[in-house]
């Protein structure tokens, strides 16, 4: 008897994956046809390559202070000019990109991880577990995000966190304010999935909770999670830039796009040396817009209910 | 008798990313004055698209009437401008739909939705339109008309809403009423009431009805003339009695066989084997050949033409009735 | 309706108590305070002041005192500015409100008009341009676009003043005053509108696309109504209806000011006040501000809920 039922489950699971993989390839084919989304993806990939590989080809990576070449306007030698310490802005921009992109990516991963696990648990078990998790989420959503980030940022500065590890704490901070919204979304999806026929079939088959949760429910959330995750990278990059601009995120000498724009706080640099702060602004803008366009294309193919 | 509607070799195509769908392919249908013509077929056979083509409501960038003529009142509707067509819609040709629950605007009161076409087409004043609307609500068999006039769609049942839809449709005394599966979404008892009402209205006003349905019971009850469609094509047509008594096309035979007969016990209800072919991958052939028990080699390569058979009004598109072929 | 409201109100109060604790302890965690940050004072004077302001008491006791006073409408006394917090709020909040109300109004008008047109002409070139514009607006770093516009329009082209609410030293009155303020608020309003208009346009566009595909729109067309009537009487009303829930969510934005925009444009609003106080660790003001926004958020959510129930004839409480 038990072998029989496990046979049934197995074969149904095989069908499941077969259907899923064809659905997946179909979605990817559709995505490839979406020119706007694909150009967004290509731009993001190029940006990653430029930031992580580009500096290897630059003669100015040592970040040494060069007194003879301070505050030079863009030229053939220094494409985006030099800063007040004579460092090449182009090279710094790409090195800063490494940090900004990493922070964006990592804090997205972390908040999606926390948010989806907590949201899934809340939506699946309901009752008191749901109450506790969602009330905490409500609470965090009630308090404005920027002041919280400011306080956390101030803590960082006062606790003399080593410059190198500030980056990791910024990631933690961003995922701390990022997870409640995600948890809410995942929980809602979970509640509606529970009621669907295939879940009732799983209940009838007598599958265990953990199995139901991880083998049947979470895979159905993947399309949505992929879309939301993609779109939240852009948001995380923006938040990091705000924090770093106000000196509460990653601080110099480690460069990020946000803290490079900080030079605009100096009236002379702001008015006379725009090459110091305009390029990082456009780097943030173009990266985020490319991510958002790609994420929207993903949404069209993976989450057809939202197709508009 | 005069023809109210003359659809002549109409083709409506949809251009999708995957390819062209010939939703309506070379279809001719005639509706005479005071006559009820039923279009029968499975979902996706093009019956609703035919109706929408007549209304000029094929919208969006993908769908287009590519060929044919739609004669109405001595004019070709396809030649009319958008504005001219609009003055005919809801006025001389009216339409009711399958889902009464979603076919009325949820945020506007019922009364306003009835008076709109009256004010638009008949240029009635607000007051006159209101009186006429209340009269119409009573005419479709709803009591407490004044109260209903001010209520919202969500406060009424599906059957009541379909009555309201009919009231809206007949408000301007149309010559032709197109009813697209008007009873499919309703309970069986309500279905009969709605059909009776449609018949009564038709007889009183000499209106023609083009009724679209997949339900042969409805056809038997309502139709004077039947058109059977399959994959965008007319496969058989004829007077209702003739067609029911002597179906020619294997598809029509299958449809009639799959209809349960009251007071007769059957071991198992018949169903036509197979599925409707994918509209994207249709090749020159009889589109029904894959499901046909009497399929011949010619059916797989050539499309039969709609022809009169046996000297009656009945027409069929099937190689079985083509002389010199069936014998091979 | 009334049981629903009671439940909502109780939940609101609980959330606010939770929020107040979280806010208080977060600020209590923040190192340094107004007194110890001051270099000019002697050690004895500092100790005296710390005692006076109750900074030496245990955290939990301080929380209780703070809450008790807050419930009596007393949010404390700003140490840096030597004024009650509420008086300061009243001085700055209306400047923030001015920026917010104008830009919110513009944002909604632009979003409705553009969203509806582009939904109606879905897939046209106009729609494509609108979509790209929406993505751009949603991807702009707020502080950067502010700086960029100041640099180009104010510093280089000198079309508009770079910041503040009045020209320094100006004592214009009457119409001249109004004109000067309008002149100064143009740039921040443009930036705030730009930042908000993307997602809202997208919202209206997708609502409208949904509505246009509904059966009742087909019915309206089948009745032979003009496109104008179909669009404005039948479609628009349905597309705008769900947006009424957003009105409540605008509340914290209307009175809470924008920390970033006010800082960049040197606008004397409540966000700017927050930034200043943050630098001097003026806790009563910081806590008061954060709590104020939390209250607005909770009230806003409640208003949204109620409006939604009132607006849609199908929804019953």
């Amino acid at each position: 008897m038990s072998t029989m039922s496990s046979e049934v489950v197995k074969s149904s699971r095989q069908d499941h994956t077969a259907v899923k993989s064809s659905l997946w390839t179909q979605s990817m084919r559709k995505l490839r046809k979406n020119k706007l989304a694909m150009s967004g993806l290509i731009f993001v990939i190029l940006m990653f390559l430029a930031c992580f590989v580009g500096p290897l080809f630059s003669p100015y990576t040592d970040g040494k202070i060069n007194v003879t070449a301070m505050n030079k306007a863009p030229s053939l030698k220094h494409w985006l000019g030099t800063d007040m310490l004579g460092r090449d802005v182009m090279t710094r921009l790409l090195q800063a990109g490494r940090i900004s992109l990493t922070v964006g990516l990592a804090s997205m991963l972390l908040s999606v991880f926390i948010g989806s696990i907590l949201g899934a648990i809340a939506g699946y078990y309901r009752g008191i577990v749901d109450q506790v998790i969602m009330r905490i989420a409500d609470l965090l959503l009630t308090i404005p995000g920027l002041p919280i980030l400011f306080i956390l940022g101030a803590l960082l500065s006062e606790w003399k966190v080593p410059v190198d590890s500030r980056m990791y704490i910024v990631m933690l901070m961003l995922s701390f304010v990022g997870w409640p919204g995600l948890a809410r979304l995942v929980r809602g999806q979970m509640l509606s999935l529970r009621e669907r026929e295939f879940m009732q079939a799983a209940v009838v088959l007598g599958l265990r909770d953990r199995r139901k949760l991880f083998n049947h429910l979470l895979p159905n959330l993947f399309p949505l999670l992929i879309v939301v995750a993609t779109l939240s990278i852009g948001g995380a990059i923006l938040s990091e830039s705000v924090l770093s601009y106000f000196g509460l995120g990653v601080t110099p000498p480690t460069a990020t796009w946000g803290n490079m724009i900080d030079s605009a706080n100096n009236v002379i640099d702001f008015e006379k040396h725009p090459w110091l702060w305009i390029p990082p602004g456009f780097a943030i803008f173009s990266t985020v817009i490319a991510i958002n366009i790609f994420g929207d294309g993903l949404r069209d193919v993976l989450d057809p209910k939202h197709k508009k | 008798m005069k023809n109210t509607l003359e659809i002549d070799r109409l083709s409506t195509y949809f251009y999708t990313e995957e390819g062209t769908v010939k939703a309506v392919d070379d279809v001719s249908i005639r509706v005479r004055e005071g006559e009820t013509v039923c279009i029968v077929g499975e979902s996706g056979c093009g019956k609703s698209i035919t109706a929408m083509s007549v209304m000029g409501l094929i919208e969006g960038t993908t769908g287009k009437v590519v060929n044919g003529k739609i004669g109405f009142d001595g004019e070709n509707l396809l030649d009319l401008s958008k504005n001219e067509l609009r003055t005919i819609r809801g006025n001389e040709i009216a339409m009711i739909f399958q889902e009464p629950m979603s076919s009325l605007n949820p945020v506007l009161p019922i009364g306003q939705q009835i008076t709109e076409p009256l004010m638009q087409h008949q240029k009635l004043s607000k007051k006159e339109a209101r009186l006429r609307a209340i009269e119409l609500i009573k005419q479709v068999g709803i009591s407490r008309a004044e109260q209903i006039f001010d209520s919202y769609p969500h406060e009424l049942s599906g059957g009541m809403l379909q009555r309201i839809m009919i009231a809206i449709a007949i408000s301007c005394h149309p010559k032709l009423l197109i009813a697209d599966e008007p009873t499919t979404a309703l309970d069986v008892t309500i279905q009969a009431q709605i059909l009776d009402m449609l018949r009564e209205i038709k007889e009183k006003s000499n209106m023609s009805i083009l009724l679209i349905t997949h339900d042969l019971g409805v056809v038997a009850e309502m139709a004077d003339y039947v058109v059977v469609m399959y994959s965008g094509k007319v496969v058989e047509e004829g007077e209702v009695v003739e067609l029911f008594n002597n179906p020619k096309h294997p598809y029509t035979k299958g449809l009639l066989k799959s209809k349960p007969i009251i007071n007769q016990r059957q071991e198992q209800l018949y169903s036509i084997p197979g599925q409707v072919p994918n509209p994207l991958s249709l090749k020159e052939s009889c589109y029904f050949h894959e499901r046909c028990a009497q399929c011949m080699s010619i059916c797989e390569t050539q499309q039969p033409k709609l022809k009169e058979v046996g000297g009656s009004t009945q027409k069929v598109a099937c190689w079985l009735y083509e002389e010199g072929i069936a014998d091979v | 309706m009334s049981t629903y409201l009671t439940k909502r109100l109780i939940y609101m109060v609980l959330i606010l108590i939770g929020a107040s604790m979280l806010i208080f302890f977060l600020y209590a965690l923040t190192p340094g305070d107004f007194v110890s940050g001051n270099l000019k004072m002697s050690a004895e004077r500092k100790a005296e002041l710390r005692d006076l302001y109750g900074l030496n008491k245990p955290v939990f006791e301080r929380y209780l005192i703070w809450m008790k006073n807050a419930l009596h409408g007393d949010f404390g006394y700003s140490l840096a500015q030597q004024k009650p917090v509420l008086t300061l709020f009243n001085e700055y909040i209306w400047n923030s409100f001015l920026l917010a109300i104008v830009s919110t109004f513009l944002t909604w008008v632009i979003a409705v008009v553009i969203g509806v047109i582009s939904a109606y002409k879905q897939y046209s070139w106009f729609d494509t341009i609108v979509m790209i514009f929406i993505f751009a607006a949603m991807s702009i770093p707020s502080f950067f676009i502010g700086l960029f516009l100041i640099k180009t329009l104010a510093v280089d082209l000198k079309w508009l003043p770079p910041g503040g609410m009045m020209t320094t030293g100006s004592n214009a009155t009457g119409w001249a005053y109004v004109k000067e303020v309008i002149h100064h608020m143009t740039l921040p309003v443009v930036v705030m509108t730009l930042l908000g208009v993307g997602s809202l346009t997208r919202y209206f566009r997708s609502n409208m696309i949904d509505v246009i595909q509904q059966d009742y729109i087909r019915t309206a067309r089948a009745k032979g109504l003009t496109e104008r009537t179909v669009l404005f009487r039948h479609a628009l009303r349905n597309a705008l209806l769900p947006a009424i829930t957003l009105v409540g969510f605008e509340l914290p934005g209307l009175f809470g000011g924008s920390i970033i925009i006010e800082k960049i444009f040197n606008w004397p609003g409540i966000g700017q006040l927050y930034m200043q106080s943050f630098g001097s660790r003026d806790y009563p003001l910081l806590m008061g501000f954060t709590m104020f926004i939390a209250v607005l958020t909770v009230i806003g959510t409640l208003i949204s809920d109620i409006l939604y129930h009132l607006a849609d004839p199908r929804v019953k409480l």
Side-chain angles (χ1 to χ4, degrees), chain B residues 150-208:
Chain B
D150 292 316
S151 48
Y152 285 89
H154 71 277
E155 296 165 326
L156 273 58
S157 70
M160 298 245 275
L161 290 177
Q162 196 61 299
R163 286 165 194 268
I164 297 291
M165 282 298 291
I166 292 171
I168 295 173
I170 62 172
S171 60
C172 300
H173 307 293
K175 292 188 180 123
L176 173 69
L177 173 70
I178 303 178
D180 188 354
E181 306 262 10
T183 56
T184 310
L186 304 174
D187 290 344
V188 184
T189 45
I190 314 278
Q191 283 188 13
Q193 291 172 12
I194 296 283
L195 290 178
D196 283 346
M197 197 172 70
L198 279 177
R199 213 169 24 213
E200 197 185 310
I201 291 167
K202 185 194 94 166
E203 271 154 25
K204 258 191 218 154
S205 60
N206 204 26
M207 176 176 76
S208 310

Side-chain angles (χ1 to χ4, degrees), chain B residues 255-264 266 269-270:
Chain B
L255 277 182
L256 285 167
K257 236 165 114 185
S258 56
K259 179 176 162 357
I261 300 163
I262 295 173
N263 295 332
Q264 195 176 324
Q266 285 157 294
L269 209 51
Y270 176 80

Side-chain angles (χ1 to χ4, degrees), chain C residues 119-134:
Chain C
Y120 188 63
K121 308 194 164 200
Q122 200 186 1
Y123 303 129
S124 66
W125 61 266
F126 177 80
D127 184 39
T128 311
I129 291 174
V130 167
M131 281 312 281
I132 291 173
F133 161 78
I134 287 174

Side-chain angles (χ1 to χ4, degrees), chain A residues 1-296:
Chain A
M1 180 65 209
S2 70
T3 50
M4 212 184 88
S5 73
S6 77
E7 287 279 78
V8 172
V9 173
K10 214 182 191 176
S11 71
S12 81
R13 182 119 57 90
Q14 273 162 0
D15 289 354
H16 209 59
T17 46
V19 170
K20 186 151 285 168
S21 76
S22 79
L23 237 161
W24 189 255
T25 44
Q26 211 183 353
S27 305
M28 289 306 113
R29 200 178 318 130
K30 261 196 240 158
L31 183 62
R32 247 174 279 142
K33 272 194 190 157
N34 184 342
K35 278 185 216 133
L36 199 62
M38 284 324 278
S39 50
L41 176 66
I42 290 168
F43 184 87
V44 175
I45 293 174
L46 287 179
M47 191 54 120
F48 263 86
L49 281 178
C51 291
F52 285 88
V53 183
L56 302 180
F57 300 99
S58 158
Y60 309 110
T61 46
D62 50 10
K64 240 192 231 152
I65 294 164
N66 184 348
V67 196
T68 57
M70 287 191 306
N71 289 329
K72 287 276 188 305
S75 63
L76 271 180
K77 207 169 150 213
H78 298 282
W79 291 355
L80 292 176
T82 60
D83 65 8
M84 86 268 219
L85 298 174
R87 295 173 298 189
D88 180 59
V89 174
M90 181 76 190
T91 310
R92 258 177 85 70
L93 185 72
L94 296 178
Q95 287 168 331
R98 287 184 186 177
I99 309 290
S100 292
L101 291 172
T102 314
V103 169
L105 210 58
S107 50
M108 173 279 287
L109 282 176
L110 203 57
S111 48
V112 167
F113 181 75
I114 302 172
S116 58
I117 298 271
L118 288 180
I121 290 176
Y124 185 74
Y125 288 103
R126 298 193 278 194
I128 184 81
V129 184
D130 181 25
Q131 286 293 321
V132 171
I133 294 175
M134 292 327 288
R135 290 308 77 90
I136 294 175
D138 279 356
L139 197 59
L140 287 177
L141 286 170
T142 307
I143 303 175
L146 215 48
I148 293 195
L149 288 175
F150 274 21
I151 298 169
L152 295 175
L155 284 177
L156 273 187
S157 309
E158 309 270 344
W159 286 344
K160 308 270 185 287
V161 175
V163 174
D164 295 340
S165 46
R166 279 191 77 110
M167 177 179 145
Y168 302 104
I169 298 182
V170 169
M171 291 174 194
L172 283 177
M173 283 161 53
L174 292 179
S175 34
F176 179 70
V177 292
W179 75 263
L182 274 161
R184 209 180 245 189
L185 188 74
V186 169
R187 172 180 173 271
Q189 284 289 309
M190 204 69 177
L191 286 178
S192 73
L193 273 178
R194 271 185 73 110
E195 305 304 322
R196 294 251 287 274
E197 291 86 354
F198 72 94
M199 259 331 281
Q200 275 151 15
V203 174
V204 172
L205 284 172
L207 298 187
R208 252 184 273 134
D209 271 7
R210 201 158 46 89
R211 188 125 176 226
K212 274 187 274 185
L213 191 56
F214 288 101
N215 290 0
H216 292 263
L217 287 173
L218 275 183
N220 278 290
L221 289 176
F222 276 151
L224 176 81
L225 281 183
I226 291 173
V227 171
V228 177
T230 311
L231 292 173
S232 71
I233 300 176
I237 291 177
L238 285 179
S239 304
E240 183 276 328
S241 71
V242 172
L243 275 184
S244 297
Y245 169 72
F246 283 114
L248 295 165
V250 182
T251 43
T254 314
T256 74
W257 287 336
N259 70 30
M260 284 179 80
I261 302 179
D262 181 43
S263 58
N265 284 336
N266 175 320
V267 180
I268 310 264
D269 282 344
F270 179 67
E271 292 189 2
K272 299 276 185 303
H273 310 137
W275 61 86
L276 293 180
W277 59 272
I278 289 183
F282 275 98
I284 298 170
F285 175 56
S286 54
T287 308
V288 175
I289 195 174
I291 291 173
N292 283 345
I293 285 176
F294 174 64
D296 192 71

